[in-house]
Amino acid sequence: MANNLTHLAELEAESVYILREVAAQFEKPCILFSGGKDSIVLTYLAYKAFYPAKIPFPLVHIDTGHNFPETLTYRDDLVKRLGADLVVGYVQDSIDQGKVREETGFNASRNKLQTVTLLDTLAEHKFDAALGGARRDEEKARAKERIFSHRDEFGQWNPKNQRPELWNIYNARKDMGEHFRVFPISNWTEMDVWQYIFKEGIELPSLYYTHRRKVFKRDGQWLAAEPDIIQRREDEEVVELDVRCRTIGDVTCTGLTLSKAHTVEDIIREIAATRVTERGGRADDKRSETAMEDRKKQGYF
């Protein structure tokens, strides 16, 4: 029988299959929810996979304390709309407990500090699988991930010690204290995500659409001057421009894109024409050539 599924339907079917495998093979999974489009699509897929039952996994958000207010508003509205459970880990708690040290200076960020908070949250709630919205096309370290990605008892990732995944057979065997990160949309691209959002009519935070915001330029990228979290140098002039987020992290590491994209269709056209990668505006990826891989080995998303 011929396969008449569109490529989006095939991707959706694969992701739904993975989500159901997670429910079958793990005792206590969770969804890592950042408020970005990929984690939103992942949550939507989980909603479809188990409908009419509620999503069987709680959403886990690691709150740096430096979020865009729009992200938190969207998160709370989504949890209420879906009837989902929400677990929040606070980076500020890790700082107050002396587990991490807050960075200072113009380039200070809490992004790296999230790793400790994430691992503590997973351990506290005894989650044995954490589903994330990472995609292989995002970044070279992401491309090394298996869909079922093993983490040792310290929450660390070793790209050389992963299980083969043949014929969609996923191996979830683990020892006490170990867990897995699972990436159901690994095989999607940025364009796939946006086309799926358009097809399904998925609501997103307003940050993804062009809006007027106070910004300043640093190292060739526009950063948010509001909310007032990033310490600016004297020569960094604040201006008001029409911008949008192409990818969302906390305020300190999210670059803003000059844009006139007010609809999903506009965004799709804009992405099709751009020659800048999706994470080209992420300041946290610019710290070193191996910034993402180094963080992931320590237990980062």
Side-chain angles (χ1 to χ4, degrees):
M1 181 176 177
N3 186 346
N4 295 319
L5 293 177
T6 67
H7 85 285
L8 289 179
E10 289 180 350
L11 289 170
E12 179 189 73
E14 178 187 52
S15 298
V16 166
Y17 169 74
I18 294 167
L19 286 159
R20 290 172 178 166
E21 279 292 296
V22 169
Q25 295 197 48
F26 293 98
E27 294 291 330
K28 195 173 182 183
C30 67
I31 293 176
L32 300 179
F33 186 83
S34 66
K37 67 182 185 312
D38 297 322
S39 66
I40 291 169
V41 166
L42 177 59
T43 302
Y44 181 84
L45 287 164
Y47 173 77
K48 292 190 76 171
F50 300 101
Y51 183 84
K54 66 179 287 187
I55 298 174
F57 321 129
L59 307 186
V60 173
H61 180 220
I62 304 304
D63 187 343
T64 65
H66 291 165
N67 297 286
F68 288 96
E70 296 93 330
T71 302
L72 299 182
T73 298
Y74 179 91
R75 178 199 70 186
D76 295 340
D77 289 345
L78 180 67
V79 166
K80 183 177 180 180
R81 186 164 72 248
L82 297 182
D85 297 322
L86 175 66
V87 173
V88 181
Y90 296 95
V91 171
Q92 186 62 53
D93 289 345
S94 299
I95 295 171
D96 294 343
Q97 293 163 11
K99 294 182 176 180
V100 295
R101 180 179 296 177
E102 178 122 47
E103 294 181 0
T104 58
F106 296 111
N107 296 310
S109 173
R110 290 184 173 182
N111 194 53
K112 186 177 180 180
L113 310 187
Q114 293 181 82
T115 298
V116 171
T117 310
L118 170 62
L119 294 176
D120 284 350
T121 302
L122 295 178
E124 177 186 351
H125 294 272
K126 295 181 169 59
F127 294 124
D128 58 352
L131 296 104
R135 308 184 324 269
R136 289 183 178 131
D137 76 318
E138 280 183 88
E139 200 270 345
K140 57 189 177 184
R142 301 275 202 214
K144 296 180 182 180
E145 287 278 18
R146 296 288 197 266
I147 290 177
F148 274 36
S149 184
H150 175 263
R151 296 302 198 268
D152 66 20
E153 60 183 317
F154 302 105
Q156 297 178 336
W157 172 64
N158 181 355
K160 296 181 180 180
N161 184 28
Q162 299 295 317
R163 286 84 182 271
E165 292 179 344
L166 306 174
W167 307 294
N168 293 331
I169 297 175
Y170 302 111
N171 184 349
R173 292 182 181 178
K174 57 182 175 54
D175 293 327
M176 180 69 69
E178 298 176 345
H179 74 275
F180 276 78
R181 306 291 171 84
V182 181
F183 303 105
I185 64 170
S186 285
N187 292 328
W188 297 48
T189 66
E190 181 187 12
M191 183 62 80
D192 292 331
V193 169
W194 280 109
Q195 289 177 340
Y196 189 76
I197 288 167
F198 175 71
K199 172 178 171 289
E200 298 291 317
I202 299 173
E203 294 183 20
L204 294 176
S206 58
L207 292 166
Y208 277 110
Y209 303 102
T210 296
H211 57 285
R212 197 78 172 170
R213 185 176 290 271
K214 291 181 179 178
V215 296
F216 65 97
K217 200 165 194 177
R218 174 180 294 175
D219 298 329
Q221 66 182 131
W222 294 102
L223 297 172
E226 57 177 9
D228 188 12
I229 293 173
I230 305 175
Q231 183 180 350
R232 296 187 299 277
R233 299 182 175 89
E234 290 184 3
D235 62 345
E236 291 177 329
E237 181 186 1
V238 174
V239 296
E240 278 198 11
L241 295 172
D242 290 331
V243 295
R244 73 174 190 88
C245 294
R246 190 171 168 189
T247 177
I248 295 177
D250 75 9
V251 173
T252 63
C253 63
T254 301
L256 300 166
T257 300
L258 299 178
S259 175
K260 297 295 183 183
H262 295 280
T263 66
V264 175
E265 298 99 309
D266 292 340
I267 292 172
I268 290 172
R269 285 191 290 268
E270 186 175 272
I271 292 171
T274 189
R275 293 296 177 265
V276 179
T277 63
E278 179 181 7
R279 293 187 68 91
R282 289 296 294 263
D284 48 325
D285 287 355
K286 300 180 186 299
R287 293 196 168 197
S288 77
E289 285 294 319
T290 60
M292 172 65 79
E293 183 160 337
D294 292 342
R295 294 199 305 273
K296 285 174 66 61
K297 286 179 178 179
Q298 295 167 3
Y300 184 73
F301 301 106

